[in-house]
Amino acid sequence: MGAVRWPRESEQFNVIRRKVAEMSGRDITDVRVVVSPYRICPLGAHIDHQGGIVSAMTIDKGILLGFVPSDDSQVLLQSGQFQGEVKFSVDEEPIPGKAAKQNGSNHLKGSFSTQEECSWGNYARGALYALKKRGNNIKQGIIGYICGAEGLDSSGLSSSAAVGVAYLLAFESANDLIVSPTENIEYDRLIENEYLGLKNGILDQSAILLSSYGCLTCMNCKTKEHNLIRGPELNSHTSNENNSPFKILLAFSGLKQNLISNPGYNSRVAECREAAKILLQACGNEELEPILSNVEPEVYKEHKCKLDPNLARRAEHYFSENNRVLKGLEAWACGNLDEFGKLISASGLSSIQNYESGCEPLIQLYKILLEAPGVYGARFSGAGFRGCCIAFVEAERASDASSYIKMQYSQVQPELAKQMDEDGLVLVCDAGDCARVI
Ligand code: GLA
């Protein structure tokens, strides 16, 4: 399989190293860089928080965090996207709940009031909170510069988990801690669920920490068991440089909003739990945690009539999505991208009809993607309340698909499309690798 070129060959990689050398007065060769890729979830949307089985992979774009250990307890951070400087000491005890999940555009460079607290630093504080909560001894701060891919924050590619993981890996490296991916999955859960208050599952950080180029990551969010499934046989007739038969296409809606300021995410989680509670009561298992993975499919079939229509739709999404994931893993392992793609599109439809997580522009974009040349399948990325849609597309038809999508979306959403750089409306990516420190 072809090598993943990002980030070593990117200009950004060297800019970050120079920047940290300047900030710290150290030599550029002392600067370490955390590579924390964005993730996609072809199948398994919105079932991670219910203990479902999900599939994921990373792309060849993401967060880079250049850093050096500060040689004392001080943390000093700057960002390529956000204004202001974040300063704190690792001796502080970060208090959960005070921070809101912030990665939105309101604090982008140019619109940030220097009087405001630099809320983008909450992820670094959250990482410190998680590491300390699990008993790690953090004495060493970092001097760092963090940068995301231009225009990709709050796009449903999980930039927030990528940022959380980046800070965890930097603190661990600076403090000579050896931490397994499984432990880091839990630490990132503490950042998101406890420190920032989002009731999400472990899909995002599992994908970022476990993925391997050329494989689909499968995660059982209840048992925490995972495996990597090798992808379709590479076709030697394809002409793209990575020699992969497919590309991952990202089509942006122009809508950005972080998940905490949109109450949709947490309220859907609460609805799933309510449905689980009713179904568990119906079969005399009310002592179990009310999550849908604790409900047997037969119990769901027998008692779904007891759910009100909204709750019934959420449960239907959960059970049907779990089945799609299982079928999708098989299709992927057999190299059947047509079948894999159909399941992705069916998952997208269930998100619209059963989970009701889309919004008009994203639904329009989803439909356009389904019609685009060479597309195997498409769905919303991330929570689906804003951001982008992803598609798996035949490698050789990716550029035709991009042109088609740009043209069609500009017609149905001229205002949103105009806000985006024409080149930024659709991005064609390759699969990526797991997070690591270079
Ligand atoms: C967000 C959450 C994840 C997952 C997805 C939807 O990215 O952070 O935990 O629920 O939405 O699949």
Side-chain angles (χ1 to χ4, degrees):
M1 294 225 171
V4 180
R5 293 184 169 179
W6 176 79
R8 278 192 187 273
E9 292 180 20
S10 69
E11 174 56 17
Q12 201 191 29
F13 185 70
N14 291 321
V15 168
I16 288 172
R17 293 174 71 222
R18 280 199 294 275
K19 184 81 195 172
V20 177
E22 212 176 89
M23 283 168 73
S24 62
R26 309 275 176 80
D27 196 85
I28 195 162
T29 54
D30 292 337
V31 178
R32 309 174 203 175
V33 180
V34 185
V35 181
S36 191
Y38 298 135
R39 68 97 188 92
I40 58 163
C41 169
L43 291 164
H46 286 294
I47 60 173
D48 58 340
H49 49 74
Q50 296 303 300
I53 299 171
V54 301
S55 77
M57 61 172 71
T58 56
I59 58 170
D60 60 349
K61 295 192 172 25
I63 301 286
L64 297 179
L65 168 61
F67 73 97
V68 290
S70 57
D71 283 346
D72 58 24
S73 65
Q74 288 309 302
V75 175
L76 172 66
L77 300 167
Q78 288 184 17
S79 154
Q81 271 76 40
F82 301 100
Q83 274 196 354
E85 234 176 21
V86 169
K87 279 189 195 163
F88 63 94
S89 158
V90 294
D91 298 333
E92 284 171 26
E93 295 299 329
I95 303 166
K98 277 182 93 179
K101 186 170 165 121
Q102 300 263 10
N103 62 350
S105 51
N106 52 336
H107 291 163
L108 285 175
K109 278 200 163 154
S111 63
F112 187 89
S113 138
T114 41
Q115 265 74 43
E116 281 182 72
E117 201 213 331
C118 295
S119 51
W120 58 266
N122 284 336
Y123 286 89
R125 290 192 173 88
L128 182 65
Y129 164 80
L131 285 160
K132 286 191 163 186
K133 172 134 193 205
R134 287 293 181 259
N136 293 288
N137 191 10
I138 307 292
K139 288 284 160 225
Q140 181 76 244
I142 54 171
I143 300 172
Y145 185 79
I146 189 161
C147 219
E150 211 47 60
L152 266 60
D153 55 293
S154 294
S155 292
L157 298 165
S158 214
S159 49
S160 55
V163 170
V165 167
Y167 286 124
L168 286 170
L169 297 191
F171 280 129
E172 289 159 12
S173 164
N175 287 277
D176 296 323
L177 297 175
I178 310 237
V179 178
S180 69
T182 313
E183 286 169 299
N184 273 324
I185 289 171
E186 167 62 8
Y187 295 169
D188 191 69
R189 189 193 69 73
L190 293 174
I191 303 178
E192 304 245 10
N193 292 175
E194 290 190 10
Y195 194 72
L196 300 167
L198 187 74
K199 303 287 173 217
N200 59 348
I202 57 167
L203 158 70
D204 303 336
Q205 67 269 42
S206 302
I208 294 166
L209 286 156
L210 300 171
S211 288
S212 170
Y213 177 75
C215 295
L216 187 65
T217 306
C218 167
M219 180 79 186
N220 182 324
C221 298
K222 188 175 176 184
T223 64
K224 314 278 189 308
E225 285 160 334
H226 77 275
N227 56 329
L228 297 174
I229 305 172
R230 274 214 94 69
E233 281 306 309
L234 293 184
N235 174 357
S236 54
H237 304 300
T238 54
S239 59
N240 66 89
E241 57 182 13
N242 269 358
N243 208 23
S244 164
F246 68 88
K247 293 271 178 190
I248 298 160
L249 199 142
L250 312 177
F252 295 88
S253 65
L255 295 174
K256 290 189 175 188
Q257 193 180 35
N258 69 52
L259 290 183
I260 279 288
S261 62
N262 182 331
Y265 189 92
N266 280 354
S267 75
R268 290 290 184 282
V269 176
E271 287 167 343
C272 290
R273 289 180 73 91
E274 183 57 25
K277 194 171 146 200
I278 295 168
L279 293 165
L280 287 169
Q281 269 164 2
C283 66
N285 272 334
E286 54 267 59
E287 77 289 354
L288 296 179
E289 188 193 353
I291 49 174
L292 287 163
S293 56
N294 280 337
V295 177
E296 295 301 327
E298 302 70 51
V299 170
Y300 165 61
K301 264 187 218 134
E302 194 185 330
H303 297 288
K304 64 179 170 189
C305 51
K306 301 198 167 88
L307 300 172
D308 81 26
N310 266 346
L311 299 189
R313 281 194 291 274
R314 309 302 178 251
E316 178 58 26
H317 175 75
Y318 174 85
F319 287 100
S320 64
E321 187 71 358
N322 247 318
N323 283 338
R324 281 185 289 272
V325 174
L326 298 179
K327 286 188 187 153
L329 296 177
E330 260 173 52
W332 172 263
C334 302
N336 188 345
L337 284 174
D338 286 319
E339 178 61 16
F340 188 66
K342 279 186 196 139
L343 290 160
I344 297 175
S345 305
S347 161
L349 190 62
S350 180
S351 287
I352 297 170
Q353 294 180 338
N354 295 321
Y355 207 75
E356 296 179 286
S357 63
C359 56
E360 185 67 13
L362 269 175
I363 296 172
Q364 289 167 328
L365 199 49
Y366 162 74
K367 290 184 177 155
I368 292 170
L369 259 61
L370 294 187
E371 298 298 320
V375 165
Y376 291 112
R379 59 156 297 107
F380 308 146
S381 188
F385 294 101
R386 74 325 185 212
C388 74
C389 285
I390 55 148
F392 275 67
V393 60
E394 281 173 48
E396 291 177 352
R397 295 174 80 192
S399 111
D400 291 350
S402 301
S403 315
Y404 176 86
I405 296 160
K406 284 181 195 166
M407 196 178 71
Q408 298 291 324
Y409 191 63
S410 305
Q411 277 173 20
V412 294
Q413 287 293 347
E415 291 308 316
L416 284 174
K418 236 189 275 160
Q419 287 170 26
M420 289 180 281
D421 186 5
E422 222 211 282
D423 291 338
L425 221 143
V426 180
L427 282 183
V428 176
C429 306
D430 281 300
D433 240 318
C434 62
R436 60 208 177 273
V437 181
I438 302 182

